Amino acid sequence: MNARYEFGILGPLEVARDGVRVPIGAGRQRALLAALLIDAGQIVSVDALARRLWGDDPPRGARNAVQNYVLRLRRTLGPDVVVTDRRGYMIKALPDAVDARRFDALVREGAAASSARDHDRAAELLGEALALWRGEPLADLPAEQFQDVVAALCERHLAAREQWIDAVMHCGRPADVLPELRRLTERHPFRERFWAQLMLALYRCGRQGEALERYREVSRLLAEELGIDPGDELRTLHQRILTSAPELAAIRRGSPGEGGHLPAETTSFVGREMELAETRRLLRASRLVTLTGVGGVGKTRMALRAAGQARPHFPDGVWLADLAALTDSTLVARAVAEALGLRDQSVRSAMDALADHVRDRHLLLVLDNCEHLVDAVARLVQRLLCAAPGLRVLATSRERLGVPGEHVLLVSGLTLRPGGDGGACEAVRLLSDRAAACAAPLRDGGSAAELCRRLDGIPLAIELAAVRLTSLTVEEILERLEDRFRLLSDPRGPGANRYRRTLRGVMDLSYNLCTSGERMLWTRLSVFAGSFDLKAAEAVCAGDGIDRADVLDLVTGLIHKSVVVVDGDGRSARYRLLETIRQYGLDRLRRDGNATEYRVRHSDHYHALAAGAAADWCSPREAEWLDRLRAEVPNFRAALGFCVGRPDRVRTGADIAADLTRTRSWFFSGTLGEARHWLDSLSAGLGPGIRETTIMVTAMKTFIATIQGDQKAAETLMNECRAHELGAQAPPVAYVEGVHALLAHDDPACIEQLARAREGLRAAGHTGDAHMATMFWAMAAAFLGDQSIAVSACETYVAEAVASGAEWAHTWAQWLTGLTELLHGDPASALTPLCDALLRQQAMDDRWGPAWGIETLAWTAGVLGHHHHAAHLLGAAHRQRQVTGAALTGLRPFHLHHTRTENRVREHLEPGSYTEAWQSGASAGDVIALALRVAYELRLRTAADQPTSG
């Protein structure tokens, strides 16, 4: 295999090829891959796979279904990865390619290290093993399919936790495991081993009374819940604590690594397990590691913790040089020499003396806060690394050093999603811990999570917010976050160090480290919401002191200074500012009086982007446009919000909202309710002299209300369209008139209306709108026309969709083919195109189309006489329609066929049987996967029912 694959089952199923995530399709296909990964490297029989997917009673055709899923998986991963054998199938993967196998290997190595009394190495290996866990194993797959596997993995996870805690305590660090043990005893209250470890850790921290109280707590818990006494281990430990047995005394560590100096931690360290493990890995692999990130993100704290963990591997110690207060770059070498305890009185330079001092030593040098002295630090580090082969350097800086061989690790905010064990995320845990320290315990976890999200998970900001919890509630802090730089300051901070205890002080330092061009670009980029690409940055920010050709270099400089963050999936880079950094830039832009100018530029850029998408809709670039528009939703919202409040920008905003509706962007990237909100808000400010925009906006409002099934609003808006000066003569009005007649009134006249509308739109140059009119014309012909017009219109639309090369259009061409077969041809032949449409829509993350595809499959099942399947599909369609918010009763042709199918099915099923099947469909975790499975069974049964020849 040329490509390197990595598979993850210690959390939601995950596949990466050369570090890039590989999407795996439907639920069954993912479940099949998981079943193969459980026994990676071994042949798994088809029958075993079928039992895993469907239980002990697989449906008819299960073997064929397995083969079909394997075929799709092979197309995605390649035949070298998914191997076929006469006995079954196998995932061929390297020994460390599956995270569960890496976990087991690391745990074995850790256990061996513990047996050899190398407890530091054991703690490190076990910590790396635990860092592989991303949550509940296979959390995105049905629990009943992998219950045995998940239970076994979780038990191994808990056992590894026990071993890691033992190893850390043997390293003489009982305080490090206390937060973890408190969480574990809360989540696993009957696991006595965790209680014993908690008692021992407390005792070794000098908290004998608390250790004894924990014994009373677990004794009471076991008696009340299970009616039993504590086991031998707990009872023996309790007795030894009572007598202060010498063997329980805290372990004191000596050399190696005894030299050096690191400051003691004064507050608890929360989270960062994966980042710490990666830092330790990088220190083993390279000689210079630089932790970068925005100010206040916790680089120093993480570097000190990682250095402390690595101390045993450096016989000559771990040494800290804090350069924060140093302002003269010529004194860097002297400051580092002083930190190392070097007192050289010779005429040599400080750099020469340092090089001689470290030449034969094996030590770790931590250089903290290097960003304002980058060039001088880089020269020193390069000289020392060349002189001393046993030297490792761990630096923290908002800007990378740029030294050859440097490995950069970006330190992000604390995690904002709950942990895999169901506990709070790292950011909320930090807020809770610091709030408790201020005697202001948290009460509302939801609001706390929102506060941490708004603060980007930045530890300094969270700690400063915790201080404010002594006088404000979380909700009140959230209300005041627009003025976060005044709010988040520590009034108790010592004057000499005050700049480091305010959020504004941290941002000011980052700002002052930037060049004049970088500062200018930072403030202008603050008008973007969410992420942006390079073209957008060039269009909005270039000019008035910034050449367009310089924007890339300035963005790169801001990335290196941890101001701009790079996002991307490997195909195109996108950039963003953390909200705190963005607010800082926006404050400065306002103070300079330039905020309005650059928000105008921003809205102009996104006006042009939406217009370009509308003009190029239904082209081979349709899927590319959908991805781009989806990524730009926050910026479109920001542009629309700016335009709503300014009379001179209302037309621009109205054009944006209308063009996004014409591209069907709201179907994919927002909601139709949001589309109506913007169209309503902006249309109110349109003056009488803007006829073309007014007509288009009103037409789009009518279209949305119509397809939502909001008949009352659609009728009112339709009358507004007709009342315009151009009225029905305007192609957009003629188009929505036909759609309204079809969906609201089931009027056969709509066939001719839509035929005329498509010609009018085509003549006006609105290619994408003309294609949509063609689609609704073919839909009207299928629902309301005779066989000849229905088949002819369907063929016309399919030909246009294929010729356009547009994937979204192709999905609707397949759906229309199925609908036409159902109503005017062979219903059994409708199943394949309807399923193909569903698969394509799922691949595009289309949530609107599947509601109607599943509904039409239900009609097909009913016509074919498979009433139980039809009831399942009706329930699944109902569930999917809840996602769209469409009212079926307001969509006359759809409601008519739905009612017919429901009545037919109820006639053939007992009430209880119908309800059970319907509820099963409506409660399915993946309704598209359910619909495809049901359709597959229908195809098998329909084929079996066909008479054989001869």
Side-chain angles (χ1 to χ4, degrees):
M1 294 180 288
N2 294 324
R4 174 176 173 80
Y5 280 88
E6 293 178 294
F7 303 95
I9 64 173
L10 301 180
L13 181 67
E14 195 171 79
V15 181
R17 180 193 296 117
D18 293 329
V20 179
R21 187 181 176 194
V22 178
I24 304 296
R28 295 284 186 197
Q29 190 175 343
R30 296 174 65 80
L32 176 81
L33 175 57
L36 291 170
L37 287 173
I38 291 165
D39 296 304
Q42 301 179 39
I43 301 296
V44 185
S45 70
V46 176
D47 289 337
L49 291 170
R51 283 195 300 273
R52 179 67 72 181
L53 296 182
W54 287 283
D56 292 332
D57 187 22
R60 239 180 0 166
R63 292 178 63 87
N64 290 335
V66 167
Q67 292 167 0
N68 187 31
Y69 290 133
V70 169
L71 179 61
R72 294 181 195 172
L73 203 56
R74 284 167 63 88
R75 289 173 183 164
T76 303
L77 303 180
D80 292 334
V81 178
V82 184
V83 178
T84 301
D85 182 88
R86 60 182 177 80
R87 297 166 293 164
Y89 303 101
M90 176 180 72
I91 286 288
K92 187 176 181 181
L94 295 172
D96 64 342
V98 182
D99 59 358
R101 290 189 164 195
R102 290 203 302 278
F103 169 77
D104 288 338
L106 286 167
V107 170
R108 286 194 298 271
E109 291 180 42
S114 287
S115 298
R117 299 187 180 278
D118 187 354
H119 300 297
D120 294 293
R121 179 64 175 160
E124 182 178 357
L125 290 166
L126 291 164
E128 287 186 36
L130 294 171
L132 294 171
W133 285 70
R134 297 169 289 111
E136 183 80 9
L138 301 174
D140 55 334
L141 296 174
E144 64 275 7
Q145 291 180 343
F146 297 95
Q147 190 170 6
D148 57 329
V149 175
V150 170
L153 286 171
C154 288
E155 179 57 36
R156 287 177 1 225
H157 181 230
L158 291 176
R161 286 265 175 215
E162 292 176 353
Q163 294 178 58
W164 175 77
I165 291 166
D166 281 341
V168 172
M169 285 205 286
H170 273 103
C171 292
R173 307 200 311 266
D176 289 359
V177 298
L178 283 176
E180 178 72 2
L181 282 167
R182 287 195 181 95
R183 286 193 298 275
L184 289 169
T185 51
E186 286 176 6
R187 288 171 178 73
H188 308 281
F190 303 128
R191 198 173 181 102
E192 295 186 30
R193 179 68 182 137
F194 288 144
W195 287 98
Q197 290 176 317
L198 176 58
M199 290 167 59
L200 183 58
L202 286 168
Y203 181 80
R204 286 182 173 171
C205 288
R207 296 153 70 174
Q208 183 178 12
E210 290 181 59
L212 294 172
E213 177 57 33
R214 296 290 77 75
Y215 180 77
R216 286 191 288 272
E217 182 181 349
V218 67
S219 298
R220 186 169 53 251
L221 176 71
L222 293 172
E224 291 176 355
E225 298 293 331
L226 303 178
I228 61 173
D229 294 325
D232 290 342
E233 181 183 13
L234 278 175
R235 291 200 307 273
T236 302
L237 179 61
H238 176 240
Q239 190 61 38
R240 288 177 175 175
I241 291 174
L242 284 172
T243 59
S244 298
E247 65 269 21
L248 297 185
I251 298 171
R252 305 214 172 260
R253 305 305 304 275
S255 59
E258 195 169 65
H261 64 92
L262 292 177
E265 295 181 339
T266 58
T267 57
S268 62
F269 188 92
V270 175
R272 303 285 199 197
E273 287 87 359
M274 293 183 67
E275 293 96 328
L276 286 168
E278 179 64 8
T279 304
R280 295 193 301 270
R281 187 191 70 78
L282 288 174
L283 281 172
R284 290 196 302 272
S286 60
R287 299 183 59 210
L288 170 60
V289 178
T290 303
L291 305 183
T292 67
V294 64
V297 81
K299 301 182 293 295
T300 296
R301 191 70 191 273
M302 196 173 111
L304 294 176
R305 170 56 69 106
Q309 293 174 343
R311 191 198 306 261
H313 302 290
F314 294 94
D316 294 307
V318 177
W319 301 82
L320 169 67
D322 186 352
L323 306 178
L326 188 66
T327 57
D328 187 344
S329 62
T330 63
L331 298 179
V332 168
R334 293 189 183 278
V336 174
E338 183 177 339
L340 285 170
L342 175 62
R343 299 288 187 270
D344 183 72
Q345 306 296 339
S346 71
V347 297
R348 295 181 300 174
S349 70
M351 189 176 291
D352 288 341
L354 263 177
D356 282 345
H357 179 74
V358 301
R359 191 177 310 278
D360 298 318
R361 286 180 165 84
H362 186 190
L363 61 83
L364 173 62
L365 175 61
V366 181
L367 298 176
D368 194 24
N369 297 299
C370 302
E371 52 272 336
H372 58 305
L373 302 163
V374 165
D375 292 339
V377 172
R379 287 193 297 272
L380 175 65
V381 167
Q382 190 163 4
R383 171 72 186 280
L384 296 181
L385 290 175
C386 289
L391 174 67
R392 292 285 193 277
V393 176
L394 176 60
T396 75
S397 175
R398 302 184 198 188
E399 181 176 2
R400 60 192 67 192
L401 301 183
V403 174
E406 177 184 30
H407 277 65
V408 177
L409 179 62
L410 177 64
V411 181
S412 303
L414 295 172
T415 61
L416 297 169
R417 290 185 294 180
D421 57 2
C425 64
E426 292 177 352
V428 171
R429 282 163 47 198
L430 178 66
L431 180 64
S432 177
D433 183 272
R434 300 301 187 261
C438 296
L442 289 179
R443 292 179 176 84
D444 186 343
S447 296
E450 174 63 12
L451 175 60
C452 292
R453 186 192 67 78
R454 295 274 301 277
L455 295 176
D456 303 305
I458 297 175
L460 174 61
I462 292 170
E463 291 183 336
L464 292 171
V467 174
R468 288 296 184 190
L469 285 172
T470 59
S471 53
L472 296 172
T473 66
V474 172
E475 290 75 12
E476 288 173 321
I477 293 177
L478 283 167
E479 291 172 2
R480 294 167 179 260
L481 270 191
E482 289 303 313
D483 192 15
R484 66 183 65 197
F485 299 107
R486 179 186 296 274
L487 178 70
L488 300 181
S489 60
D490 186 350
R492 302 165 302 156
N497 199 33
R498 184 172 175 79
Y499 81 98
R500 297 185 67 184
R501 293 302 301 168
T502 70
L503 200 57
R504 183 179 294 281
V506 170
M507 292 297 109
D508 284 342
L509 180 58
S510 290
Y511 186 79
N512 292 333
L513 290 171
C514 295
T515 66
S516 60
E518 289 168 349
R519 295 173 190 171
M520 204 179 300
L521 183 63
W522 177 349
T523 61
R524 295 178 187 183
L525 290 175
S526 67
V527 300
F528 288 98
S531 63
F532 54 89
D533 60 16
L534 182 61
K535 290 181 180 178
E538 291 170 338
V540 175
C541 302
D544 297 331
I546 296 179
D547 289 339
R548 191 182 187 95
D550 292 336
V551 171
L552 175 59
D553 289 339
L554 293 173
V555 168
T556 303
L558 290 173
I559 292 169
H560 290 170
K561 291 181 172 67
S562 306
V563 174
V564 170
V565 179
V566 184
D567 288 331
D569 58 5
R571 291 173 296 180
S572 60
R574 293 187 65 82
Y575 314 97
R576 63 183 173 88
L577 281 69
L578 295 180
E579 184 59 23
T580 299
I581 293 176
R582 192 182 81 85
Q583 287 290 344
Y584 180 85
L586 201 54
D587 281 355
R588 282 193 169 269
L589 195 65
R590 288 179 183 132
R591 275 187 276 164
D592 295 341
N594 295 326
T596 299
E597 176 187 350
Y598 286 95
R599 293 202 67 179
V600 167
R601 289 191 184 189
H602 177 270
S603 59
D604 282 342
H605 173 72
Y606 286 98
H607 179 205
L609 184 66
D616 202 27
W617 186 246
C618 291
S619 75
R621 292 165 296 282
E622 184 185 74
E624 180 183 334
W625 274 115
L626 282 172
D627 288 341
R628 187 171 182 187
L629 295 177
R630 185 183 286 118
E632 298 290 5
V633 165
N635 282 305
F636 281 122
R637 286 174 177 149
L640 290 166
F642 173 69
C643 292
V644 164
R646 299 184 63 88
D648 58 328
R649 305 297 296 173
V650 167
R651 180 175 183 177
T652 299
D655 285 340
I656 294 173
D659 285 338
L660 290 177
T661 307
R662 293 169 63 201
T663 61
R664 307 302 172 260
S665 176
W666 299 114
F667 290 85
F668 289 85
S669 308
T671 66
L672 296 182
E674 182 180 2
R676 286 179 71 172
H677 161 74
W678 290 119
L679 290 167
D680 286 341
S681 300
L682 290 155
S683 63
L686 292 174
I690 315 176
R691 291 190 308 173
E692 186 176 343
T693 299
T694 302
I695 289 173
M696 180 60 76
V697 167
T698 309
M700 292 300 97
K701 288 164 62 178
T702 308
F703 173 78
I704 291 175
T706 300
I707 62 172
Q708 282 186 306
D710 188 353
Q711 288 191 351
K712 184 177 179 181
E715 201 67 51
T716 300
L717 291 166
M718 194 69 250
N719 289 332
E720 286 185 26
C721 285
R722 297 172 185 135
H724 280 296
E725 183 179 343
L726 297 177
Q729 299 176 19
V733 175
Y735 163 52
V736 296
E737 183 89 67
V739 173
H740 183 254
L742 165 64
L743 297 178
H745 299 295
D746 210 21
D747 183 357
C750 67
I751 300 175
E752 183 57 33
Q753 288 174 316
L754 287 163
R756 290 196 304 270
R758 66 189 284 260
E759 296 303 326
L761 289 165
R762 190 171 292 159
H766 298 316
T767 305
D769 297 327
H771 185 92
M772 293 301 300
T774 305
M775 185 188 80
F776 278 103
W777 168 63
M779 189 188 304
F783 277 125
L784 304 172
D786 59 25
Q787 184 183 45
S788 60
I789 183 63
V791 171
S792 175
C794 180
E795 290 174 349
T796 300
Y797 178 66
V798 170
E800 281 192 19
V802 172
S804 73
E807 179 63 14
W808 187 80
H810 194 80
T811 69
W812 283 97
Q814 290 295 92
W815 177 80
L816 269 167
T817 299
L819 179 69
T820 305
E821 283 287 359
L822 170 64
L823 301 180
H824 300 280
D826 175 17
S829 299
L831 293 169
T832 297
L834 290 174
C835 289
D836 184 63
L838 269 180
L839 283 168
R840 290 171 179 266
Q841 288 164 344
Q842 184 183 46
M844 295 179 71
D845 196 25
D846 180 358
R847 300 183 182 183
W848 175 269
W852 314 112
I854 298 172
E855 178 71 28
T856 313
L857 278 172
W859 305 344
T860 307
V863 169
L864 292 172
H866 296 286
H867 304 107
H868 198 265
H869 289 85
H872 269 98
L873 291 166
L874 286 172
H878 172 80
R879 168 76 175 275
Q880 191 66 23
R881 275 197 307 277
Q882 289 180 315
V883 176
T884 70
L888 189 62
T889 54
L891 303 170
R892 290 284 296 277
F894 287 90
H895 188 243
L896 174 65
H897 286 276
H898 173 89
T899 303
R900 286 176 181 170
T901 301
E902 182 180 1
N903 291 339
R904 180 185 293 117
V905 172
R906 286 183 180 275
E907 288 175 4
H908 288 83
L909 294 179
E910 293 292 331
S913 179
Y914 173 83
T915 301
E916 181 182 356
W918 190 95
Q919 288 287 359
S920 176
S923 60
D926 185 342
V927 293
I928 295 178
L930 178 140
L932 291 170
R933 176 175 61 80
V934 171
Y936 180 77
E937 293 175 4
L938 283 174
R939 290 205 300 272
L940 291 177
R941 294 192 180 188
T942 303
D945 291 341
Q946 297 295 323
T948 56
S949 58

